[in-house]
Amino acid sequence: MQSVVLKGTKDGYELILKETASVREILVDLKQLLEGLGEESEKGKDQLHLNVQMGNRLMSEDDKNDIIKLVDDYDNLVIDNFLSNVITREESAKIMSENNVEVMSRVIRNGQEVNVDGDVLFFGKIHEGGKLIATGNVFNMGVIEGIVQAGCPDDESKLIIGNLHTAQQVRVGEQYDIVADRPIEDSEKTVVYVNDLHVLSYGKIKNLKEINPKFFNRIGGIE
Amino acid sequence: MGKAIVITSGKGGVGKTTSSANIGIALAMMGKRVCLIDLDIGLRNLDVVMGLDNRVMYDIVDVATGRVKLVQAMVKDKRFDDLLYLLPAAQNTDKTALNEEQVKSIVDELKPDFDYVFIDCPAGIEQGFINAVSGADGAIVVTTPEISAVRDADRVIGLLEQHPLQETPKLIINRIRKSLMEDDNYMDVDEITTHLGIDLLGIILDDDKVISTSNNGESIVMNPDNPTAQGYRNVARRLEGETVPLMKIDVQKESAWDKFKHLFKRN
């Protein structure tokens, strides 16, 4: 059986690499396949986009580059993506932590910056000059007198929920507010979000469904 | 085996050196063997405050680089018969002249011979701070009731917590002014202590005599009646493990009678 098969799917063309074949075998077979293909598609000048399906294996960047180099010789063929059924442990840990809610009850002091992947449930205290920066949402049940950011670096769909009226700054994605200039109500039910006009806004927990329906559904909200 | 305690603050001018000298003397007066190390290299003051500046022969950099032995560089305070010593800082170089290992080995060499080794830390959080902290078993953070000093204390406590010493840091609130205690905008002792979230070791009242005594190379703590001296003696007793209640700050309120007298005076 050939180690490389070209297959048409509803999303376009896929080069399927046999996962038991060595990279050298694949390169030889791919060259052969491309030569045949080149002759056929010479007439139609349309560009053909390919995805490479690696099956149950991951290839090194060098091997991927060898494949890209081979395909580059043909003007009308472009590789879009390398696909695989598997991911590395590192990547899986990252995905896990992104969906995880980290519970934190420490003191973040002046000059300290705490970065978190995913959501944070915060019970501690952020002193003036301290920073809590999360890639996900921030749920505050502690005291924030410093700076808090959700959706770092640029995810504007994230929220900060809790009492924030003592904070120095609140930031969601790339939007920020200096609390001294625009006071926040002293309430545990505050929701900080970025609205459709990309402006930081303040709402109430009871309006969460309107503010961010996706988040509302994720936490299992019912009507 | 003695204990090495670093006295630090982050901000300058809050009274690290004065506190080092006074706590050291208070403990020596209690009969403890104390060594004070000045690590403010390039801007040394502890020798001046102690009145020992004209006795300095060698300094800590000489010891660290092996030019002299540790005992040769130590200056004895003659007021306290063999109890109080000072290891002065160098004046002709800067904070980068020492590294952590050198300071640590000097402190470790001193600890068996003394009950307390106090390390007077320079202001800032650079090499000088790192050196001072590296040899210490515990830390005393000095602050004043000012927002800038409290912020810097917060920063320093954060740094100390990142590389924890054997003992958790303790707080001294220095330069408390009685006349301002009633002002609502003034930060009070409770507020500062709860904000910083570490144990309070003592409070020290502000007194003009602190400056006048140290200008003469004497120390306020040797004055038996002074409330500031009382504060330092209380700190020393608490370090020794005694339970000493916190000094009451009695604000002298003007009574109706006093006001009446004032009126009378003006006329």
Side-chain angles (χ1 to χ4, degrees), chain B residues 107-152:
Chain B
V107 173
D108 286 344
E109 199 178 330
L110 288 168
K111 277 201 302 191
D113 294 333
F114 289 92
D115 296 314
Y116 289 94
V117 177
F118 286 104
I119 303 160
D120 184 20
C121 176
I125 51 171
E126 295 84 19
Q127 188 64 39
F129 171 80
I130 297 165
N131 286 344
V133 169
S134 59
D137 304 317
I140 295 177
V141 179
V142 182
T143 186
T144 60
E146 284 169 90
I147 186 93
S148 50
V150 174
R151 272 302 157 83
D152 289 356

mmCIF file of all heavy atoms in Angstrom, chain B residues 107-152:
data_model
loop_
_atom_site.group_PDB
_atom_site.id
_atom_site.type_symbol
_atom_site.label_atom_id
_atom_site.label_comp_id
_atom_site.label_asym_id
_atom_site.label_seq_id
_atom_site.Cartn_x
_atom_site.Cartn_y
_atom_site.Cartn_z
ATOM 1 N N VAL B 107 28.103 36.199 58.097
ATOM 2 C CA VAL B 107 27.045 36.087 59.098
ATOM 3 C C VAL B 107 27.134 34.736 59.814
ATOM 4 O O VAL B 107 27.026 34.652 61.041
ATOM 5 C CB VAL B 107 25.653 36.274 58.447
ATOM 6 C CG1 VAL B 107 24.548 35.988 59.442
ATOM 7 C CG2 VAL B 107 25.515 37.686 57.903
ATOM 8 N N ASP B 108 27.367 33.685 59.043
ATOM 9 C CA ASP B 108 27.464 32.354 59.644
ATOM 10 C C ASP B 108 28.649 32.248 60.600
ATOM 11 O O ASP B 108 28.610 31.510 61.582
ATOM 12 C CB ASP B 108 27.572 31.279 58.553
ATOM 13 C CG ASP B 108 26.242 31.060 57.852
ATOM 14 O OD1 ASP B 108 25.213 31.515 58.417
ATOM 15 O OD2 ASP B 108 26.215 30.477 56.756
ATOM 16 N N GLU B 109 29.712 33.004 60.295
ATOM 17 C CA GLU B 109 30.878 32.989 61.166
ATOM 18 C C GLU B 109 30.579 33.720 62.481
ATOM 19 O O GLU B 109 31.115 33.370 63.535
ATOM 20 C CB GLU B 109 32.046 33.657 60.435
ATOM 21 C CG GLU B 109 33.402 33.315 61.010
ATOM 22 C CD GLU B 109 34.534 33.964 60.212
ATOM 23 O OE1 GLU B 109 34.361 34.168 58.993
ATOM 24 O OE2 GLU B 109 35.562 34.286 60.823
ATOM 25 N N LEU B 110 29.714 34.738 62.411
ATOM 26 C CA LEU B 110 29.402 35.533 63.603
ATOM 27 C C LEU B 110 28.376 34.857 64.513
ATOM 28 O O LEU B 110 28.420 35.016 65.728
ATOM 29 C CB LEU B 110 28.863 36.912 63.187
ATOM 30 C CG LEU B 110 29.881 37.891 62.607
ATOM 31 C CD1 LEU B 110 29.167 39.079 61.982
ATOM 32 C CD2 LEU B 110 30.837 38.359 63.699
ATOM 33 N N LYS B 111 27.473 34.117 63.918
ATOM 34 C CA LYS B 111 26.322 33.608 64.681
ATOM 35 C C LYS B 111 26.684 32.786 65.922
ATOM 36 O O LYS B 111 26.061 32.963 66.969
ATOM 37 C CB LYS B 111 25.379 32.822 63.760
ATOM 38 C CG LYS B 111 24.432 33.732 63.002
ATOM 39 C CD LYS B 111 23.186 33.064 62.471
ATOM 40 C CE LYS B 111 23.404 31.933 61.555
ATOM 41 N NZ LYS B 111 22.191 31.481 60.865
ATOM 42 N N PRO B 112 27.715 31.918 65.850
ATOM 43 C CA PRO B 112 28.007 31.135 67.060
ATOM 44 C C PRO B 112 28.480 31.991 68.235
ATOM 45 O O PRO B 112 28.306 31.591 69.386
ATOM 46 C CB PRO B 112 29.120 30.186 66.600
ATOM 47 C CG PRO B 112 29.049 30.176 65.126
ATOM 48 C CD PRO B 112 28.541 31.508 64.723
ATOM 49 N N ASP B 113 29.070 33.167 67.962
ATOM 50 C CA ASP B 113 29.646 33.984 69.030
ATOM 51 C C ASP B 113 28.670 34.997 69.615
ATOM 52 O O ASP B 113 28.980 35.653 70.606
ATOM 53 C CB ASP B 113 30.866 34.751 68.498
ATOM 54 C CG ASP B 113 31.991 33.793 68.133
ATOM 55 O OD1 ASP B 113 32.030 32.713 68.742
ATOM 56 O OD2 ASP B 113 32.785 34.120 67.239
ATOM 57 N N PHE B 114 27.540 35.192 68.964
ATOM 58 C CA PHE B 114 26.629 36.249 69.403
ATOM 59 C C PHE B 114 25.215 35.705 69.593
ATOM 60 O O PHE B 114 24.847 34.687 69.013
ATOM 61 C CB PHE B 114 26.587 37.380 68.364
ATOM 62 C CG PHE B 114 27.851 38.180 68.323
ATOM 63 C CD1 PHE B 114 28.873 37.846 67.446
ATOM 64 C CD2 PHE B 114 28.036 39.264 69.169
ATOM 65 C CE1 PHE B 114 30.050 38.580 67.411
ATOM 66 C CE2 PHE B 114 29.202 40.000 69.147
ATOM 67 C CZ PHE B 114 30.213 39.658 68.268
ATOM 68 N N ASP B 115 24.430 36.424 70.418
ATOM 69 C CA ASP B 115 23.022 36.068 70.558
ATOM 70 C C ASP B 115 22.209 36.620 69.392
ATOM 71 O O ASP B 115 21.257 36.002 68.928
ATOM 72 C CB ASP B 115 22.477 36.619 71.877
ATOM 73 C CG ASP B 115 23.154 35.981 73.076
ATOM 74 O OD1 ASP B 115 23.281 34.744 73.070
ATOM 75 O OD2 ASP B 115 23.576 36.714 73.987
ATOM 76 N N TYR B 116 22.582 37.831 68.972
ATOM 77 C CA TYR B 116 21.874 38.453 67.850
ATOM 78 C C TYR B 116 22.874 39.058 66.881
ATOM 79 O O TYR B 116 23.840 39.703 67.300
ATOM 80 C CB TYR B 116 20.943 39.567 68.335
ATOM 81 C CG TYR B 116 19.738 39.052 69.067
ATOM 82 C CD1 TYR B 116 19.740 38.953 70.449
ATOM 83 C CD2 TYR B 116 18.601 38.658 68.364
ATOM 84 C CE1 TYR B 116 18.643 38.462 71.121
ATOM 85 C CE2 TYR B 116 17.497 38.173 69.022
ATOM 86 C CZ TYR B 116 17.514 38.077 70.399
ATOM 87 O OH TYR B 116 16.425 37.593 71.057
ATOM 88 N N VAL B 117 22.616 38.846 65.583
ATOM 89 C CA VAL B 117 23.370 39.544 64.547
ATOM 90 C C VAL B 117 22.351 40.352 63.754
ATOM 91 O O VAL B 117 21.456 39.786 63.129
ATOM 92 C CB VAL B 117 24.105 38.550 63.625
ATOM 93 C CG1 VAL B 117 24.824 39.301 62.510
ATOM 94 C CG2 VAL B 117 25.077 37.697 64.414
ATOM 95 N N PHE B 118 22.454 41.679 63.859
ATOM 96 C CA PHE B 118 21.523 42.522 63.096
ATOM 97 C C PHE B 118 22.207 43.023 61.837
ATOM 98 O O PHE B 118 23.345 43.497 61.881
ATOM 99 C CB PHE B 118 21.061 43.711 63.940
ATOM 100 C CG PHE B 118 20.092 43.323 65.006
ATOM 101 C CD1 PHE B 118 20.493 43.243 66.323
ATOM 102 C CD2 PHE B 118 18.777 43.016 64.688
ATOM 103 C CE1 PHE B 118 19.601 42.863 67.317
ATOM 104 C CE2 PHE B 118 17.879 42.627 65.663
ATOM 105 C CZ PHE B 118 18.296 42.557 66.984
ATOM 106 N N ILE B 119 21.494 42.887 60.722
ATOM 107 C CA ILE B 119 22.043 43.319 59.438
ATOM 108 C C ILE B 119 21.275 44.563 59.003
ATOM 109 O O ILE B 119 20.073 44.496 58.737
ATOM 110 C CB ILE B 119 21.903 42.195 58.389
ATOM 111 C CG1 ILE B 119 22.591 40.923 58.896
ATOM 112 C CG2 ILE B 119 22.482 42.642 57.053
ATOM 113 C CD1 ILE B 119 22.130 39.662 58.214
ATOM 114 N N ASP B 120 21.969 45.683 58.953
ATOM 115 C CA ASP B 120 21.335 46.940 58.547
ATOM 116 C C ASP B 120 21.362 46.999 57.023
ATOM 117 O O ASP B 120 22.404 47.131 56.406
ATOM 118 C CB ASP B 120 22.105 48.121 59.162
ATOM 119 C CG ASP B 120 21.427 49.449 58.850
ATOM 120 O OD1 ASP B 120 20.222 49.433 58.520
ATOM 121 O OD2 ASP B 120 22.100 50.480 58.934
ATOM 122 N N CYS B 121 20.163 46.894 56.432
ATOM 123 C CA CYS B 121 20.027 46.765 54.985
ATOM 124 C C CYS B 121 20.002 48.151 54.342
ATOM 125 O O CYS B 121 19.426 49.077 54.902
ATOM 126 C CB CYS B 121 18.713 46.027 54.715
ATOM 127 S SG CYS B 121 18.265 45.831 53.013
ATOM 128 N N PRO B 122 20.594 48.328 53.178
ATOM 129 C CA PRO B 122 20.453 49.613 52.488
ATOM 130 C C PRO B 122 19.045 49.771 51.905
ATOM 131 O O PRO B 122 18.320 48.786 51.763
ATOM 132 C CB PRO B 122 21.500 49.532 51.384
ATOM 133 C CG PRO B 122 21.718 48.084 51.152
ATOM 134 C CD PRO B 122 21.471 47.398 52.452
ATOM 135 N N ALA B 123 18.665 50.992 51.590
ATOM 136 C CA ALA B 123 17.374 51.220 50.933
ATOM 137 C C ALA B 123 17.417 50.602 49.545
ATOM 138 O O ALA B 123 18.484 50.403 48.985
ATOM 139 C CB ALA B 123 17.093 52.710 50.848
ATOM 140 N N GLY B 124 16.236 50.308 49.022
ATOM 141 C CA GLY B 124 16.169 49.745 47.677
ATOM 142 C C GLY B 124 16.032 48.235 47.704
ATOM 143 O O GLY B 124 16.062 47.610 48.759
ATOM 144 N N ILE B 125 15.885 47.647 46.512
ATOM 145 C CA ILE B 125 15.698 46.195 46.424
ATOM 146 C C ILE B 125 16.717 45.600 45.464
ATOM 147 O O ILE B 125 16.496 44.554 44.872
ATOM 148 C CB ILE B 125 14.258 45.850 45.981
ATOM 149 C CG1 ILE B 125 13.887 46.619 44.720
ATOM 150 C CG2 ILE B 125 13.273 46.144 47.077
ATOM 151 C CD1 ILE B 125 12.587 46.189 44.108
ATOM 152 N N GLU B 126 17.852 46.258 45.313
ATOM 153 C CA GLU B 126 18.872 45.762 44.377
ATOM 154 C C GLU B 126 19.863 44.855 45.119
ATOM 155 O O GLU B 126 19.558 44.345 46.178
ATOM 156 C CB GLU B 126 19.591 46.940 43.715
ATOM 157 C CG GLU B 126 18.699 47.794 42.822
ATOM 158 C CD GLU B 126 17.930 48.838 43.598
ATOM 159 O OE1 GLU B 126 18.341 49.136 44.732
ATOM 160 O OE2 GLU B 126 16.913 49.334 43.091
ATOM 161 N N GLN B 127 21.055 44.757 44.580
ATOM 162 C CA GLN B 127 22.068 43.846 45.110
ATOM 163 C C GLN B 127 22.263 43.991 46.618
ATOM 164 O O GLN B 127 22.395 43.000 47.336
ATOM 165 C CB GLN B 127 23.398 44.086 44.376
ATOM 166 C CG GLN B 127 24.474 43.068 44.709
ATOM 167 C CD GLN B 127 24.103 41.662 44.270
ATOM 168 O OE1 GLN B 127 23.518 41.473 43.202
ATOM 169 N NE2 GLN B 127 24.400 40.678 45.095
ATOM 170 N N GLY B 128 22.250 45.240 47.098
ATOM 171 C CA GLY B 128 22.446 45.475 48.523
ATOM 172 C C GLY B 128 21.391 44.775 49.359
ATOM 173 O O GLY B 128 21.686 44.170 50.391
ATOM 174 N N PHE B 129 20.154 44.830 48.910
ATOM 175 C CA PHE B 129 19.046 44.160 49.590
ATOM 176 C C PHE B 129 19.235 42.646 49.529
ATOM 177 O O PHE B 129 19.108 41.936 50.532
ATOM 178 C CB PHE B 129 17.719 44.567 48.933
ATOM 179 C CG PHE B 129 16.525 43.776 49.403
ATOM 180 C CD1 PHE B 129 15.905 44.070 50.594
ATOM 181 C CD2 PHE B 129 16.028 42.727 48.637
ATOM 182 C CE1 PHE B 129 14.806 43.342 51.025
ATOM 183 C CE2 PHE B 129 14.943 41.994 49.059
ATOM 184 C CZ PHE B 129 14.330 42.302 50.256
ATOM 185 N N ILE B 130 19.563 42.148 48.347
ATOM 186 C CA ILE B 130 19.734 40.702 48.157
ATOM 187 C C ILE B 130 20.840 40.187 49.071
ATOM 188 O O ILE B 130 20.701 39.137 49.712
ATOM 189 C CB ILE B 130 20.036 40.401 46.670
ATOM 190 C CG1 ILE B 130 18.839 40.820 45.815
ATOM 191 C CG2 ILE B 130 20.344 38.923 46.466
ATOM 192 C CD1 ILE B 130 19.134 40.911 44.344
ATOM 193 N N ASN B 131 21.955 40.940 49.146
ATOM 194 C CA ASN B 131 23.055 40.562 50.035
ATOM 195 C C ASN B 131 22.588 40.497 51.487
ATOM 196 O O ASN B 131 22.863 39.537 52.207
ATOM 197 C CB ASN B 131 24.183 41.589 49.957
ATOM 198 C CG ASN B 131 24.956 41.477 48.666
ATOM 199 O OD1 ASN B 131 24.857 40.481 47.962
ATOM 200 N ND2 ASN B 131 25.702 42.504 48.344
ATOM 201 N N ALA B 132 21.869 41.545 51.902
ATOM 202 C CA ALA B 132 21.469 41.654 53.300
ATOM 203 C C ALA B 132 20.548 40.508 53.701
ATOM 204 O O ALA B 132 20.640 39.975 54.803
ATOM 205 C CB ALA B 132 20.788 42.997 53.538
ATOM 206 N N VAL B 133 19.659 40.123 52.793
ATOM 207 C CA VAL B 133 18.659 39.105 53.112
ATOM 208 C C VAL B 133 19.269 37.704 53.111
ATOM 209 O O VAL B 133 18.850 36.826 53.869
ATOM 210 C CB VAL B 133 17.485 39.209 52.114
ATOM 211 C CG1 VAL B 133 16.573 38.020 52.223
ATOM 212 C CG2 VAL B 133 16.712 40.491 52.357
ATOM 213 N N SER B 134 20.310 37.511 52.283
ATOM 214 C CA SER B 134 20.800 36.152 52.046
ATOM 215 C C SER B 134 21.302 35.464 53.317
ATOM 216 O O SER B 134 21.170 34.256 53.448
ATOM 217 C CB SER B 134 21.901 36.170 50.992
ATOM 218 O OG SER B 134 22.952 37.001 51.435
ATOM 219 N N GLY B 135 21.873 36.258 54.250
ATOM 220 C CA GLY B 135 22.410 35.601 55.432
ATOM 221 C C GLY B 135 21.453 35.524 56.601
ATOM 222 O O GLY B 135 21.772 34.952 57.637
ATOM 223 N N ALA B 136 20.247 36.092 56.446
ATOM 224 C CA ALA B 136 19.382 36.298 57.600
ATOM 225 C C ALA B 136 18.484 35.099 57.892
ATOM 226 O O ALA B 136 18.137 34.334 57.003
ATOM 227 C CB ALA B 136 18.519 37.532 57.379
ATOM 228 N N ASP B 137 18.143 34.953 59.184
ATOM 229 C CA ASP B 137 17.154 33.944 59.594
ATOM 230 C C ASP B 137 15.761 34.565 59.697
ATOM 231 O O ASP B 137 14.755 33.897 59.567
ATOM 232 C CB ASP B 137 17.504 33.368 60.961
ATOM 233 C CG ASP B 137 18.898 32.784 60.970
ATOM 234 O OD1 ASP B 137 19.243 32.098 59.997
ATOM 235 O OD2 ASP B 137 19.641 33.034 61.940
ATOM 236 N N GLY B 138 15.740 35.864 60.013
ATOM 237 C CA GLY B 138 14.464 36.558 60.151
ATOM 238 C C GLY B 138 14.608 37.971 59.629
ATOM 239 O O GLY B 138 15.709 38.413 59.319
ATOM 240 N N ALA B 139 13.472 38.677 59.533
ATOM 241 C CA ALA B 139 13.521 40.035 59.014
ATOM 242 C C ALA B 139 12.624 40.944 59.841
ATOM 243 O O ALA B 139 11.580 40.517 60.330
ATOM 244 C CB ALA B 139 13.088 40.064 57.556
ATOM 245 N N ILE B 140 13.088 42.187 60.006
ATOM 246 C CA ILE B 140 12.235 43.207 60.595
ATOM 247 C C ILE B 140 12.022 44.268 59.519
ATOM 248 O O ILE B 140 12.984 44.794 58.964
ATOM 249 C CB ILE B 140 12.884 43.844 61.839
ATOM 250 C CG1 ILE B 140 13.034 42.797 62.955
ATOM 251 C CG2 ILE B 140 12.061 45.028 62.331
ATOM 252 C CD1 ILE B 140 13.732 43.330 64.199
ATOM 253 N N VAL B 141 10.762 44.507 59.180
ATOM 254 C CA VAL B 141 10.446 45.513 58.181
ATOM 255 C C VAL B 141 10.044 46.796 58.908
ATOM 256 O O VAL B 141 9.122 46.791 59.718
ATOM 257 C CB VAL B 141 9.307 45.033 57.262
ATOM 258 C CG1 VAL B 141 8.953 46.098 56.243
ATOM 259 C CG2 VAL B 141 9.699 43.750 56.564
ATOM 260 N N VAL B 142 10.770 47.870 58.638
ATOM 261 C CA VAL B 142 10.480 49.151 59.277
ATOM 262 C C VAL B 142 9.675 50.004 58.309
ATOM 263 O O VAL B 142 10.003 50.095 57.131
ATOM 264 C CB VAL B 142 11.791 49.886 59.654
ATOM 265 C CG1 VAL B 142 11.480 51.196 60.360
ATOM 266 C CG2 VAL B 142 12.663 49.014 60.520
ATOM 267 N N THR B 143 8.594 50.598 58.822
ATOM 268 C CA THR B 143 7.838 51.519 57.980
ATOM 269 C C THR B 143 7.430 52.717 58.827
ATOM 270 O O THR B 143 7.593 52.718 60.047
ATOM 271 C CB THR B 143 6.616 50.822 57.350
ATOM 272 O OG1 THR B 143 5.987 51.713 56.437
ATOM 273 C CG2 THR B 143 5.615 50.402 58.405
ATOM 274 N N THR B 144 6.942 53.746 58.183
ATOM 275 C CA THR B 144 6.379 54.892 58.897
ATOM 276 C C THR B 144 4.925 55.033 58.465
ATOM 277 O O THR B 144 4.529 54.440 57.469
ATOM 278 C CB THR B 144 7.134 56.193 58.554
ATOM 279 O OG1 THR B 144 7.022 56.423 57.154
ATOM 280 C CG2 THR B 144 8.598 56.104 58.938
ATOM 281 N N PRO B 145 4.107 55.795 59.209
ATOM 282 C CA PRO B 145 2.696 55.895 58.805
ATOM 283 C C PRO B 145 2.506 56.809 57.594
ATOM 284 O O PRO B 145 1.738 57.748 57.634
ATOM 285 C CB PRO B 145 2.007 56.488 60.043
ATOM 286 C CG PRO B 145 3.030 56.522 61.100
ATOM 287 C CD PRO B 145 4.352 56.516 60.445
ATOM 288 N N GLU B 146 3.216 56.511 56.530
ATOM 289 C CA GLU B 146 3.081 57.284 55.302
ATOM 290 C C GLU B 146 2.789 56.310 54.185
ATOM 291 O O GLU B 146 3.349 55.213 54.154
ATOM 292 C CB GLU B 146 4.397 57.979 54.950
ATOM 293 C CG GLU B 146 4.727 59.189 55.761
ATOM 294 C CD GLU B 146 6.160 59.598 55.475
ATOM 295 O OE1 GLU B 146 6.356 60.386 54.551
ATOM 296 O OE2 GLU B 146 7.062 59.098 56.148
ATOM 297 N N ILE B 147 1.986 56.736 53.221
ATOM 298 C CA ILE B 147 1.572 55.824 52.160
ATOM 299 C C ILE B 147 2.768 55.315 51.367
ATOM 300 O O ILE B 147 2.842 54.148 51.022
ATOM 301 C CB ILE B 147 0.508 56.501 51.246
ATOM 302 C CG1 ILE B 147 -0.037 55.520 50.217
ATOM 303 C CG2 ILE B 147 1.050 57.714 50.521
ATOM 304 C CD1 ILE B 147 -1.270 54.832 50.650
ATOM 305 N N SER B 148 3.762 56.178 51.131
ATOM 306 C CA SER B 148 4.902 55.753 50.320
ATOM 307 C C SER B 148 5.718 54.693 51.043
ATOM 308 O O SER B 148 6.164 53.715 50.429
ATOM 309 C CB SER B 148 5.777 56.948 49.961
ATOM 310 O OG SER B 148 6.073 57.684 51.120
ATOM 311 N N ALA B 149 5.908 54.880 52.341
ATOM 312 C CA ALA B 149 6.692 53.905 53.107
ATOM 313 C C ALA B 149 5.947 52.578 53.211
ATOM 314 O O ALA B 149 6.546 51.502 53.114
ATOM 315 C CB ALA B 149 6.992 54.451 54.497
ATOM 316 N N VAL B 150 4.616 52.648 53.386
ATOM 317 C CA VAL B 150 3.816 51.424 53.511
ATOM 318 C C VAL B 150 3.814 50.648 52.190
ATOM 319 O O VAL B 150 3.942 49.430 52.160
ATOM 320 C CB VAL B 150 2.378 51.759 53.965
ATOM 321 C CG1 VAL B 150 1.506 50.515 53.951
ATOM 322 C CG2 VAL B 150 2.391 52.355 55.364
ATOM 323 N N ARG B 151 3.684 51.366 51.072
ATOM 324 C CA ARG B 151 3.757 50.718 49.755
ATOM 325 C C ARG B 151 5.072 49.974 49.557
ATOM 326 O O ARG B 151 5.101 48.841 49.079
ATOM 327 C CB ARG B 151 3.704 51.764 48.640
ATOM 328 C CG ARG B 151 2.412 52.205 48.108
ATOM 329 C CD ARG B 151 1.538 51.148 47.543
ATOM 330 N NE ARG B 151 0.199 51.648 47.606
ATOM 331 C CZ ARG B 151 -0.324 52.465 46.681
ATOM 332 N NH1 ARG B 151 0.349 52.776 45.618
ATOM 333 N NH2 ARG B 151 -1.539 52.924 46.816
ATOM 334 N N ASP B 152 6.179 50.643 49.926
ATOM 335 C CA ASP B 152 7.483 50.012 49.738
ATOM 336 C C ASP B 152 7.655 48.842 50.685
ATOM 337 O O ASP B 152 8.263 47.828 50.325
ATOM 338 C CB ASP B 152 8.605 51.040 49.932
ATOM 339 C CG ASP B 152 8.658 52.026 48.782
ATOM 340 O OD1 ASP B 152 7.879 51.856 47.835
ATOM 341 O OD2 ASP B 152 9.482 52.958 48.818
#
